[in-house]
Amino acid sequence: NIVGHWEGAFTRFGAAQAVALDIQATDSGLVGTYDIPDLVLYSEPLKELTYLADTLTFGLFWGKYTCLVFNDIGEITGENLNWGPPVSVHLRRALKQDLYRV
């Protein structure tokens, strides 16, 4: 099940940037948001969110990602091949902690 809160980081050239995804199921399909605290981006909508046969795809600030979902260990790994060099992402299922108020 892909629904839930996921935390991790983007990596490129050995640098890491924290990211969190929140994915929900609705009557019309999956919807989600992302946070990138370093860029002061909170609750931004995920674009082109699809999940089929353990493959998750989504678009956000850094472009479109194609990821493999490992539900047995609660991890997601993938990359955006359109950046040179590619930007990787690694996420783990986590408990959501609200760090800010709207």
Side-chain angles (χ1 to χ4, degrees):
N1 188 351
I2 196 68
V3 171
H5 181 73
W6 301 83
E7 294 181 358
F10 296 112
T11 57
R12 182 173 185 238
F13 284 136
Q17 185 171 56
V19 62
L21 302 183
D22 286 293
I23 300 173
Q24 299 174 356
T26 68
D27 291 339
S28 58
L30 292 175
V31 296
T33 60
Y34 68 94
D35 301 336
I36 304 175
D38 290 346
L39 299 177
V40 194
L41 294 173
Y42 295 98
S43 298
E44 294 290 324
L46 288 170
K47 301 172 186 169
E48 303 173 48
L49 179 61
T50 62
Y51 179 57
L52 182 62
D54 294 330
T55 300
L56 176 70
T57 59
F58 59 87
L60 48 68
F61 183 80
W62 295 120
K64 187 172 181 177
Y65 286 80
T66 301
C67 304
L68 293 175
V69 178
F70 302 93
N71 278 309
D72 57 336
I73 59 173
E75 294 191 13
I76 299 172
T77 62
E79 60 187 352
N80 173 349
L81 298 174
N82 295 324
W83 280 71
V87 178
S88 298
V89 64
H90 182 198
L91 302 162
R92 292 185 178 160
R93 189 174 292 280
L95 294 175
K96 184 171 183 170
Q97 298 178 8
D98 292 325
L99 301 177
Y100 61 94
R101 290 186 195 184
V102 175

